[in-house]
Amino acid sequence: MEISGLPVELWRMILAYLPLPDLGRCSLVCRSWYELIISLDNTRWRQLCLGCIECRHPNWPNQPNVEPKSWREAFKQHYVASRTWTKNTQELESSSCFYLFRRKKDRRVLCVGPGCEYDTLRSALASANTYDRIMLFPGVHEEQNELILKVPVEIVGQGKLGDVALLVCIDQQCPTARLCNLVFMPAWFTPVVYKTSSGHVQFDNCNFENGQLQIHAPGTCQVKFCIFNQSSINFHSVALCLLENCEFIGSENASVTVEGPPTPEKNWACKHLTALAKSRSVLLTAPEPAVYMSDADILDSTPTGHVRTCEIVVHGDPSNIPLTSKSQQPFESTCEKENEVNGKLCTAKDGEALTVDTEYSDSELSACSENEDDSHSVYKLSYQSHGLSHILAKSIQCRPQTNGLLALQNDLELKTLQQELQRDKESHYFASTVLGCLIHKCLFRDGKGGVFVCTQGHARMEGSIFRDLTYGVRCIQNSKIIMIKNEIYHCKTSGIFLRLAAGGLIADNNIHSNAEAGVDIRKGANPLILCNKIHSGLRSGIVVLGNGKGILRSNQIYGNKEAGIYILYNGNPIVSGNHIFQGLAAGIAVNENGRGQIIENVIRENQWGGVDVRRGGDPVLRSNLICCGYSDGVVVGERGKGLIEGNTIYGNKGCGVWIMSSSLPHITSNQIGHNSIYGVAVFCRKDDANDYLANQGNNENFNDEGEAANWENDLDSEDDRFTSRRPINVTLIESNSINHNGAAGLYIKSSEALNIIANAIHANQDSGVAIFQSTQLTRIANNSISCNSLSGVLIETGCRVELRGNGIYDNSSHGVSSKGEGIIIENDILGNHGCGLQLAQTADMKITKNRIQSFHDYGIAVLDQTKGLVQENLIFQGKSGKSILQQVSNTEDCIVQHNKLLDYKKKSEISWTLENPPARPHIEGSTRGTSTAQTSQRVTSMTNRIAAQVEGGCHNNGSLFCSIL
């Protein structure tokens, strides 16, 4: 009959009465009939799928309210998978035409129950032939002894799930079997309800109550739509097993245990299970269109309270960035009012880059302002071609309104999982080949553990949910796991544990709201962690300790109560390309001899330091964007070390870099700008444990449940790290651009030696370099210090300083103002609004071979009780005609001699120039070097808490927030 003979709606109503075989026949009539049968997806195919006693809703148990893409396809997949157990017949190889003469063997149905031909399951099995179906009628079927399956059979319960209960222990010794629609409970003599050591078994729509399944290699299994209530599955060296759409509830130990390496000996079912596993894998199916979410969209569902948000442009095209969400709009007006020393940090609107407006420009700070007399230019000495002019020009030109943070656009954007796997071919191969136990779309809840993988076991988890457990996944002893698109939350300890050289791939998971770390890596574990969301944890996002390693890339880590990434006790991960933001403590904390390479991350809007290093922490911090924090950008606390190189440290509420003088960092080639207080601050203050409350860290405990407290004794005695950076024995700050900060560019209050080499310190809202305490020698050499709001260099009483080879230009007060002691040699001090160089009170300085000029004031002013030597300086006389002022109480203690004064003659056509040598600083090549260093150190103690101290003020007490023990 032609389709056009009736309306389509009427055809659908008629065909809705057809059983499955007749629907198949109708679909073979012609293309029109085929399309008509396909159109029954939401009607007849849905009825068939939900009415089948062998399966449940295709998205059960995690998303039972979400419709599948196609009910027909879901029903087809289940139908095909339910026949896997019958595919073990031997192929005839003697002749390819023998298949024509095969006869299909009829399958019998054996009924078991009251009034049936068989009273017990044991009697039915005794008379069953290959592939017979044993139908169990409603009731409780109990066996007092172990049942042995010797022939392949199918055991099916009649009626609804729960009507048929089995109190048995079944030992499968045949190649294949299938059990469906049954409730399994353990017999009185053993907790094991089913076990196999060679064959393949398939469970469909079964319940397991207080029992265990044991699958030993080369046995395999496929479990679908089953509930495990206080039950578990143990896999021993299996080559491949599938758990799909199962629910695990209330386990007393791990719900699934995978133990032992996959055996090379495989049974007949492995090739069929491999095909099914690959069809389920998200990595081997066509990727869905990528959906990009802004950080604001992510945080809409994050319970982190009311926090200040700041849109950062790190992508190429601003038009690709979503508009600020409505939840952020009330804050915009508040943000506009937050001013720190004339700097305004504003939230971007309509995809614009973050901007910081200031009430001054670089030109207004210059001595050659438009408001000055035109004759000023006559006395002006050109110094624009000094050795750091390229860095200075970059700091001026890369203003936020123009280029700003866009310079990092290509390197710091988050990559998708497919992009990451294409970048790392070895990882893609590993992710495509590791199978072992495949756990797909399962739910683990309200128990002690989810999945436990040990002794070189392999497991693969995709699309599953782990919630309200003691732990989600534990992987130890050289085992491998692959976790993709899972959700792990509300665990009482950490979400994922990796120990004892465990590894694998953890990618594209949502790990949140756990009581301890989202991911805990230690004891030589070395996983690859890609493209996860790790957020809202009650402790840290990721913890790496105890010689743990790992590669952490393209993750979003936000809203955690403690550090986003916490590295300690010789942890040594590679942290690259992550976005770590809006944490309630530090973005990354490196503590207790932790190491690591922290490269090209976006670390922003954290409550404490963006990166916090102390207590022997020695990381490499390179090419990161550390911005918009509520405290300091980088904190190097007591005994902190590390290489801090090439970072952009921008727009933080506290200091750009805060250094404790008992630390030993190497800070080089960073852009440190537009921070609300100091650009770099070096303070002399030891952490005092007595200042902290004993319970002010929630008693951090890095021990697992069941692990001995002295786990650190397992650490290697030798540190195997070899670095490519040169060793330093004095804190070194070199080749940085420190500009437009709200207070001094560099603030020093230290009791230890300090080297400040080849930095461009420009346009800060206080002095360029302010030294308030320096009992050891502070060496300031080859720096460009220009256009700062107060003095270029300020040296207070009692400080020891060496100023050599610097260019100190166009500062709004004195070029150098000193009350301390030391030497000032071979500097260019020009164009400053106050004196070129002022010595006051009890200063004791040797000043020689400098070139000095002040337009309005004296070139050199020697006042009060100053001591020292002022000789062989070249002084360019300014408009005021003032050269040297000497007003000291004892001229014998202060010798001023052999200085050369140049008085400009207006009639002369020759203008002054800085030549022989040219304008300072002079930088020839790179000031950095490389070498190899090896250290060894054993950890002998462990801290059990993190304490925080909030301090008022900054000028006297150091960091705005945060001291971490």
Side-chain angles (χ1 to χ4, degrees), residues 362 389-400 671 674 737-740 760-762:
D362 298 334
S389 57
H390 62 289
I391 297 179
L392 185 59
K394 185 177 180 181
S395 68
I396 297 173
Q397 293 173 4
C398 292
R399 299 296 295 275
Q671 290 280 340
H674 297 275
S737 175
I738 306 171
N739 63 86
H740 299 93
I761 303 171
H762 176 75

Side-chain angles (χ1 to χ4, degrees), residues 79-276:
Y79 183 85
V80 172
S82 67
R83 300 298 181 267
T84 302
W85 75 285
T86 64
K87 296 179 180 179
N88 70 321
T89 54
Q90 297 294 324
E91 296 291 339
L92 297 176
E93 299 178 357
S94 58
S95 176
S96 61
C97 64
F98 273 9
Y99 75 94
L100 298 173
F101 303 99
R102 293 181 192 167
R103 293 182 59 187
K104 184 177 181 181
K105 189 173 181 178
D106 293 333
R107 297 176 57 189
R108 295 189 302 161
V109 178
L110 310 180
C111 297
V112 178
C116 299
E117 54 183 321
Y118 298 98
D119 292 333
T120 63
L121 177 60
R122 185 183 297 274
S123 61
L125 289 174
S127 60
N129 292 320
T130 304
Y131 298 110
D132 282 348
R133 170 177 284 203
I134 299 177
M135 182 68 71
L136 300 181
F137 277 62
V140 178
H141 300 262
E142 183 176 4
E143 296 292 339
Q144 297 298 320
N145 297 307
E146 185 178 75
L147 285 179
I148 298 177
L149 292 184
K150 295 184 177 180
V151 294
V153 293
E154 183 179 28
I155 304 175
V156 181
Q158 188 183 59
K160 297 180 180 179
L161 179 63
D163 291 346
V164 180
L166 280 178
L167 276 72
V168 295
C169 173
I170 300 176
D171 183 2
Q172 178 182 331
Q173 296 180 4
C174 57
T176 185
R178 179 172 184 256
L179 299 99
C180 177
N181 204 42
L182 302 168
V183 176
F184 288 88
M185 292 183 287
W188 61 272
F189 55 88
T190 177
V192 178
V193 297
Y194 199 98
K195 59 184 177 181
T196 180
S197 58
S198 60
H200 171 72
V201 61
Q202 181 170 331
F203 295 94
D204 289 318
N205 198 32
C206 293
N207 278 13
F208 296 86
E209 302 285 340
N210 302 295
Q212 296 179 11
L213 265 65
Q214 292 186 357
I215 312 296
H216 293 259
T220 57
C221 78
Q222 182 180 3
V223 185
K224 294 184 63 178
F225 300 109
C226 293
I227 297 176
F228 292 79
N229 187 12
Q230 296 183 351
S231 302
S232 61
I233 307 179
N234 296 322
F235 297 104
H236 299 272
S237 299
V238 295
L240 183 59
C241 287
L242 266 66
L243 303 181
E244 300 181 82
N245 298 91
C246 294
E247 183 176 12
F248 296 83
I249 309 169
S251 63
E252 295 181 357
N253 293 298
S255 297
V256 177
T257 299
V258 182
E259 182 179 1
T263 179
E265 183 182 358
K266 299 181 179 180
N267 66 10
W268 65 269
C270 284
K271 65 177 182 179
H272 303 290
L273 292 179
T274 300
L276 286 174

Side-chain angles (χ1 to χ4, degrees), residues 47 285 790 841 878:
Q47 293 174 357
T285 55
L790 295 179
Q841 297 184 8

